[in-house]
Structures are given as structure tokens and as C-alpha cells.
Amino acid sequence: MLWHKVFFCAVLSLLFGQLPQVSSKDVNSGCKTNFTRVGDKCLISSIQTTNWYEADRNCRSLGAELLSVQTPTQLEEINQWLSNLGQSYMHNFWTSGNSLGGKNGTYFWQSTGKEATYLPWAGGQPQPTITNCLMLVSSDIFMAYYRLWVFSCEASIAYICEHQPQNSTISTTTRICLNPASFEVVQVIN
């Protein structure tokens, strides 16, 4: 009787070893539709021009914020992205930076509420002025080399929205399927 059990286990092992396997892979960048992953941010640029207040409202309607630039690495990644974007005709973009409600010369990122400590100024900036909003401006017509410029919040300029990538991922997993036509996806939310 023992050989029947051994034979049954051997056949079962062979059978399960030949079953199709299904795997799933993570293809999610964590960005919302139409946003592009750029370093640790998801970005979208608008070719629509508007004042700073409308730009802020438009980004919020997308579940995003106006762009903030907090490190040299982020600025480099944004410059590269804008260079690859092919919007060479757009040389100015609103950021979330401003000195609204504060003393002139102290800037905050609207998107975080924190004081802007990294301020990569364009040549000759900041100028003593009554304007309060920060825009990225490119002085080079042929390549993206953007820096900050203080400008009137009422001016009509294009803008860039950002949001943080979502942390949810689809885990890579393998399942044995008794029916080759079936497929299972396992999602892990951090």
C-alpha cells in the first residue's frame, strides 16, 4: 500500500510542476494621468498662460500644487525635463514661490508652506521690488537653463504643477493556475 501513496505523490508533483504560472510586474510610476515622473516629483506643464493665483487654482484642481524647487538636483532634473519637453517657445513658468503676506525678501513655497532656503536666482535677481511671486525664467533660447526671477503675480505666464508620487505598488508575485485562462493581480498598498 505504501507504493500507491508514493506513486500518487509523484504524479501529483509532476502535474503541479507542469501547470502554467502567472506573474505580475510593477509598471506604475506613481504619477497621475498626464503627469511625468521627474526625479522625486510628478510634473505637468501648461501652455496656457495665466496669473499666479489662477495657476495655483488650476494646479489644485488637478490634485497638485505649483512647482517648488528645493535642491540643486531638483533644478537640474527640471531643466533636463523642460529641455526634453520641446516647449522651447515657453521661457517663463510660475512656481509656488512667493513672499505674499510676509516681509519682502523672504520667500516661501506655497506648496509646502516652508521658507525657501534654496533660491537659484537668475542674473541680477532678486531686485528690490513690490512684486511677490517667483517664476522660473530661461535666459537661453536654445536650451533649458532656468533660474528664479521675482515678478508681478498678476502677469500672465505658463506654469508647472507637481504632486508627490503615490507609494502604492503592484508586487511581483507568482501563482499556480489550474485554469490557464485565469489571471490574478496582487496589489500591495504601503
Side-chain angles (χ1 to χ4, degrees):
M1 282 247 164
L2 184 60
W3 66 273
H4 291 295
K5 290 180 183 178
V6 171
F7 178 74
F8 179 73
C9 286
V11 169
L12 208 54
S13 296
L14 285 172
L15 180 63
F16 280 115
Q18 299 301 312
L19 290 174
Q21 294 184 352
V22 176
S23 9
S24 61
K25 300 207 187 250
D26 182 13
V27 294
N28 184 1
S29 70
C31 295
K32 297 177 183 189
T33 304
N34 298 325
F35 282 77
T36 302
R37 182 75 180 256
V38 179
D40 61 350
K41 299 174 181 265
C42 296
L43 303 179
I44 189 170
S45 69
S46 171
I47 58 173
Q48 172 190 359
T49 60
T50 188
N51 66 47
W52 186 89
Y53 305 101
E54 277 295 313
D56 184 55
R57 186 174 20 258
N58 291 343
C59 287
R60 289 177 188 273
S61 74
L62 297 173
E65 305 279 346
L66 277 171
L67 176 71
S68 64
V69 182
Q70 298 168 352
T71 67
T73 302
Q74 283 181 352
L75 181 61
E76 184 179 317
E77 292 166 345
I78 292 163
N79 276 323
Q80 181 65 42
W81 174 68
L82 286 169
S83 181
N84 293 336
L85 206 57
Q87 289 185 334
S88 58
Y89 56 90
M90 302 302 273
H91 298 288
N92 304 324
F93 294 95
W94 284 127
T95 71
S96 73
N98 68 74
S99 63
L100 297 168
K103 57 183 176 178
N104 212 9
T106 303
Y107 295 92
F108 294 86
W109 295 117
Q110 185 79 9
S111 59
T112 65
K114 296 180 180 176
E115 185 174 347
T117 55
Y118 174 66
L119 294 164
W121 295 114
Q125 287 292 310
Q127 291 273 339
T129 180
I130 60 168
T131 60
N132 295 347
C133 293
L134 300 181
M135 68 175 176
L136 278 178
V137 62
S138 176
S139 57
D140 192 326
I141 296 172
F142 300 106
M143 62 185 279
Y145 185 72
Y146 288 87
R147 296 293 179 259
L148 292 175
W149 190 283
V150 182
F151 211 64
S152 169
C153 302
E154 297 299 326
S156 190
I157 298 172
Y159 55 94
I160 298 172
C161 301
E162 73 174 17
H163 77 80
Q164 294 303 308
Q166 303 299 315
N167 289 332
S168 67
T169 59
I170 299 174
S171 66
T172 301
T173 190
T174 301
R175 300 279 189 209
I176 296 175
C177 298
L178 297 176
N179 179 356
S182 69
F183 185 80
E184 180 179 321
V185 175
V186 177
Q187 184 173 18
V188 177
I189 300 176
N190 296 334

